[in-house]
Amino acid sequence: MPRRKRTAGSSSDGTADSDDSAEPEKADSGSHSDPTVRSSARLTRTSLRLSQSSHDAPPDVKQVAERDESPPRTPTGNAPSSESDIDISSPNASHDEGAAKDQKDSGSDPSHRPKRRRFHESYNFNMKCPTPGCNSLGHLTGKHERHFSISGCPLYHNLSADECKVKATERDKQEEERNQSQNEDNRHATRHQAPTARQVRYKEKVQEMRKRRDVGLTKEQKEKYMEHRQTHGTSREPLLENITSEYDLELFRKAQARASEDLEKLRMQGQITEGSNMIKTIVFGRFELDTWYHSPYPEEYARLGRLYVCEFCLKYMKSQTILRRHMAKCVWKHPPGDEVYRKGAISVFEVDGKKNKIYCQNLCLLAKLFLDHKTLYYDVEPFLFYVMTEADNTGCHLVGYFSKEKNSFLNYNVSCILTMPQYMRQGYGKMLIDFSYLLSKVEEKVGSPERPLSDLGLISYRSYWKEVLLRYMYNFQGKEISIKEISQETAVNPVDIVSTLQSLQMLKYWKGKHLVLKRQDLIDEWKAKETKRGTNKTIDPGSLKWTPPKGT
């Protein structure tokens, strides 16, 4: 919107526009007829305008302002439809509106009415929580006075605003104690690899709490839960007490509060406006997926809330009808590029971001719906994309992918990695990671993923590094284990190897040297799981038909 023209006495800090408001005394004395006097009477500081409006306004105006809690009205009398129609900057805004209305009724000059200011808060009074019966007060995190989404609604989570504040205080206290204990434990972390006494006590406490959980729900509890579901339907969260241990339930509550706080931060930064400009679900093939994060799709698509995506060419559409017509004439049945790996129904295609720019951009936009740290959307030309698919009689369905810089100075073998939600927890994530290290072995390089990793990505990589090291220990027949030799054989960065050995308590500092311990109990446990799992979800190096690209 166009910026107001600054007056000679306006503020130069750029934090607020010049405010055209007049002193009430001069308005009553008739000085408004002189434009020079009116111009000199303009106040440029927000504090002066607020203080004068609070001191000079008559008592009846203040009472009207205190009673009026409805959102401000536009000149046409309708409630504003967007933030651009609301000009409020402080809790005294309703008072200013009442004062302006009082001046209008008294017949004073309209030029002397206090003008409304811009609304820069994270919410506006025209919004309302969608939960039935909720007054939008309180927040699940206990740190905000109001909420406007289900994710932050205490009522939806069967809590009150006061209970949320109490839980927030308890979480902050626990976090402070945890950080203090970690700082004390980390002072000698290089020499003491065994769990501390505090960690052992905490583990025993958790085990005891989990043992005390109920085996099942009683008949009265089941009836109570069913009554709650029939009364509120999907407008309330199901009752969760007695379903699991108190410890696991508290972990779940903490995760809910943390996710709600992250959404609130994005909303305050203006990146998302939940309910109006965020894609909540996508229809992808035969699946309907709930999204996790905001993705910068064009506004005319994002504001729909639901997006329809072709699972082969990744084109996004607005309706089911458009998708059906597109699928009738879409000739794609697999990703573009070269198929560099195939074993059974699993294939991997190498897609060049420079040759297939539109496909790669659509892939990045789709991935951002499920990745928090991803920032690459449009500049895809310097990257190669390795897309894993699972084939059936209808085509090659997208399982996941990882991107890789064509020329990485830090030897990153993965820039971004994602497994589609419908294929998670099935072993495909480790297959993608294993495939990235297989490419590093062919290139005769040592690789490592680009940081920062997402939460799910970090869990997957730590699990993969653990399996690689235990497999190496199982097959190792020598006397001395060298981290350098492990790195050369597995293509894993030595830093990642050391961090994994420390987490497994297989690295000991003794007489000025770091020694690698071969823990047979962990190796036997891994071997038992490996035998039980089988070899269905593994990468076969013999099925790779790929040579490192040159001149890219």
Side-chain angles (χ1 to χ4, degrees), residues 68-190:
D68 188 11
E69 297 180 356
S70 60
R73 300 287 175 173
T74 60
T76 59
N78 297 323
S81 58
S82 64
E83 288 188 2
S84 61
D85 295 328
I86 305 176
D87 300 331
I88 308 172
S89 62
S90 68
N92 291 335
S94 60
H95 168 84
D96 297 337
E97 292 294 324
K101 181 179 180 181
D102 184 76
Q103 290 182 1
K104 179 178 180 181
D105 295 339
S106 62
S108 60
D109 194 333
S111 62
H112 288 271
R113 277 180 269 154
K115 293 188 176 181
R116 294 174 296 179
R117 292 165 39 82
R118 287 288 149 207
F119 180 73
H120 292 299
E121 299 293 336
S122 62
Y123 56 84
N124 60 52
F125 298 120
N126 195 34
M127 297 176 64
K128 185 180 179 182
C129 177
T131 303
C134 181
N135 56 5
S136 299
L137 296 179
H139 199 278
L140 181 63
T141 60
K143 300 179 181 180
H144 306 281
E145 295 298 328
R146 299 177 68 89
H147 68 275
F148 303 102
S149 63
I150 292 179
S151 62
C153 179
L155 184 62
Y156 174 81
H157 295 89
N158 303 310
L159 298 171
S160 64
D162 294 336
E163 289 176 338
C164 292
K165 291 181 180 180
V166 172
K167 289 182 178 293
T169 304
E170 294 176 353
R171 286 194 298 268
D172 293 340
K173 184 178 179 181
Q174 292 175 359
E175 186 68 20
E176 184 178 354
E177 294 176 353
R178 180 172 176 269
N179 292 336
Q180 184 177 359
S181 301
Q182 283 184 344
N183 292 334
E184 295 175 357
D185 297 341
N186 290 338
R187 293 177 182 177
H188 307 287
T190 56

Side-chain angles (χ1 to χ4, degrees), residues 406-470:
K406 297 177 181 177
N407 297 292
S408 176
F409 296 101
L410 299 176
N411 286 333
Y412 288 138
N413 61 358
V414 167
S415 295
C416 181
I417 186 169
L418 169 74
T419 304
M420 294 296 291
Q422 67 269 30
Y423 291 101
M424 287 183 177
R425 301 184 64 84
Q426 300 179 34
Y428 291 105
K430 288 183 181 179
M431 290 182 67
L432 284 169
I433 297 174
D434 196 18
F435 188 81
S436 67
Y437 280 105
L438 177 60
L439 298 184
S440 297
K441 293 177 184 178
V442 175
E443 293 177 311
E444 298 181 352
K445 294 181 180 180
V446 174
S448 180
E450 185 176 340
R451 268 67 171 189
L453 290 168
S454 63
D455 295 338
L456 293 177
L458 182 60
I459 292 174
S460 300
Y461 266 97
R462 284 178 175 174
S463 177
Y464 174 79
W465 292 330
K466 175 183 175 181
E467 287 191 7
V468 167
L469 289 178
L470 293 178

Side-chain angles (χ1 to χ4, degrees), residues 281-284 306-310 315-321 323:
T281 60
I282 62 169
V283 176
F284 190 77
R306 173 179 292 185
L307 209 59
Y308 298 85
V309 182
C310 175
K315 180 181 179 181
Y316 46 90
M317 288 149 278
K318 295 182 179 180
S319 68
Q320 183 74 40
T321 303
L323 175 63

